[in-house]
């Protein structure tokens, strides 16, 4: 996906997150992240934005810790979030194509990595903020129709980042004692991924070929939200061995 489109999505979703947080109130529960209040969501995402902006803006080649959020609350906390979001968008926009800095997944360039990663980080947490506008009881009451729309190309890119990026490395906990295969199929965009599971890191291919043990299928925006654990998996079609779908739900969380 073009970096200019990812930057535009990052800009939009950060603004939508702040708007939803203000409407829901900082004390509201976040159904998609049951352990959080909106305050936690805003402080986490705002701190990540500043962390990424510093990595890129200072061309840091070694990782640094995510900064601590201020003691601010109410409108001051939301203003702090908006300021950090604007700083991130400005920093990424101004970054040179030849930028060299630390990253944690393969990418065409560090600039491309940070734009993509922060676009999806912000989109997922924008969904969290919008979920707080519901009754606050359970994520089971939400569907993709209840959230601001996800562009199909963006959603497919996010599914690929999750499957081939986060779950393509040693830290992935989605593993099986015996070799199993999970297919992820979009019903609207034509994109298909096949995930080979074993006792090592998952290996994902862009293919619809070969037999599988389980297939998850649905509109690409629903797949994006469900694979990021923001929609229940029963929002998707599931054929074959449903235990593989449950395995994903139980072990795929990103720390």
């Amino acid at each position: 996906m073009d970096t200019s489109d990812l930057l535009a999505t990052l800009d939009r979703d950060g603004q939508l997150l702040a708007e939803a947080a203000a409407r829901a109130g900082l004390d509201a529960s976040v159904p998609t992240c049951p352990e959080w209040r909106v305050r936690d969501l805003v402080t986490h995402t705002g701190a990540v934005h500043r962390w990424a902006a510093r990595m890129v803006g200072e061309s840091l080649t070694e990782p640094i810790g995510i900064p601590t959020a201020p003691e601010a609350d109410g409108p001051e906390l939301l203003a702090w979030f908006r300021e950090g979001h604007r700083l991130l968008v400005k920093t990424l926009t101004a970054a040179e194509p030849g930028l060299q800095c630390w990253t944690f997944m393969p990418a065409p360039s560090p600039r491309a990595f940070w734009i993509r990663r922060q676009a999806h980080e912000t989109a997922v947490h924008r969904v969290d903020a919008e979920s707080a506008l519901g009754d606050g009881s359970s994520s089971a009451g939400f569907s993709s129709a209840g959230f601001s729309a996800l562009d199909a190309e963006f959603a497919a890119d996010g599914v690929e980042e999750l499957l081939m990026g986060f779950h393509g490395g040693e830290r992935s906990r989605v593993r099986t004692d015996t070799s199993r295969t999970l297919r992820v199929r979009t019903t609207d965009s034509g994109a298909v991924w096949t995930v080979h599971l074993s006792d090592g890191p998952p290996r994902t291919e862009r293919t619809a070929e070969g037999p599988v043990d389980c297939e998850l299928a649905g509109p690409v925006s629903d797949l994006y939200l469900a694979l990021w654990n923001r929609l229940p998996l029963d929002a998707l079609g599931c054929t074959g061995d449903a235990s593989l779908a449950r395995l994903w739900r139980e072990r795929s969380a990103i720390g």
Side-chain angles (χ1 to χ4, degrees):
M1 189 173 181
D2 188 85
T3 54
S4 62
D5 293 331
L6 288 168
L7 276 168
T9 301
L10 168 59
D11 189 16
R12 164 186 175 266
D13 280 341
Q15 295 181 52
L16 288 174
L17 190 161
E19 292 169 8
R23 288 172 55 202
L26 296 177
D27 288 325
S29 61
V30 181
T32 51
C33 296
E35 71 279 13
W36 274 0
R37 298 286 174 176
V38 170
R39 179 180 295 101
D40 304 309
L41 172 65
V42 170
T43 55
H44 165 78
T45 313
V48 169
H49 283 173
R50 280 170 166 75
W51 171 68
R54 187 179 171 199
M55 292 296 310
V56 172
E58 298 181 20
S59 301
L60 300 179
T61 57
E62 297 293 334
I64 59 172
I66 295 176
T68 302
E71 294 297 326
D73 204 358
E76 290 184 2
L77 182 60
L78 290 171
W80 171 84
F81 172 84
R82 289 187 172 101
E83 180 185 19
H85 171 247
R86 286 193 297 268
L87 173 64
L88 175 63
V89 173
K90 180 179 179 180
T91 301
L92 290 172
T93 301
E96 295 292 336
L99 166 74
Q100 294 299 312
C101 69
W102 178 78
T103 63
F104 57 87
M105 285 192 297
S109 71
R111 181 178 185 268
F113 166 82
W114 283 108
I115 291 172
R116 182 195 203 192
R117 177 79 293 277
Q118 289 306 300
H120 290 296
E121 175 85 9
T122 305
V124 169
H125 288 317
R126 181 265 294 169
V127 167
D128 292 332
E130 291 179 342
S131 81
L133 297 171
D135 63 13
S137 60
S138 170
S139 62
F142 293 94
S143 67
S144 59
F147 303 120
S148 298
L150 286 163
D151 174 79
E153 184 181 4
F154 177 78
D157 182 74
V159 171
E160 183 148 310
E161 184 204 39
L162 182 64
L163 296 178
M164 303 183 79
F166 281 106
H167 290 291
E170 289 290 339
R171 294 184 65 183
S172 177
R173 296 169 51 245
V174 184
R175 304 188 182 209
T176 55
D177 293 333
T178 58
S179 296
R180 312 294 299 283
T181 308
L182 172 69
R183 181 156 291 146
V184 176
R185 182 188 301 275
T186 64
T187 57
D188 54 352
S189 75
V192 184
W193 300 267
T194 299
V195 186
H196 301 276
L197 299 172
S198 67
D199 59 359
R203 180 175 58 86
T204 299
E205 301 176 290
R206 301 183 195 95
T207 182
E209 297 180 359
V212 296
D213 297 293
C214 178
E215 178 171 298
L216 294 173
V220 66
S221 59
D222 285 1
L223 283 169
Y224 181 92
L225 294 173
L227 293 175
W228 274 107
N229 294 335
R230 265 57 185 188
L231 276 184
L233 282 175
D234 59 16
L236 306 176
C238 179
T239 56
D241 184 355
S243 69
L244 283 184
R246 292 193 296 271
L247 177 75
W248 181 272
R249 174 64 74 182
E250 294 166 359
R251 300 189 184 179
S252 66
I254 304 298

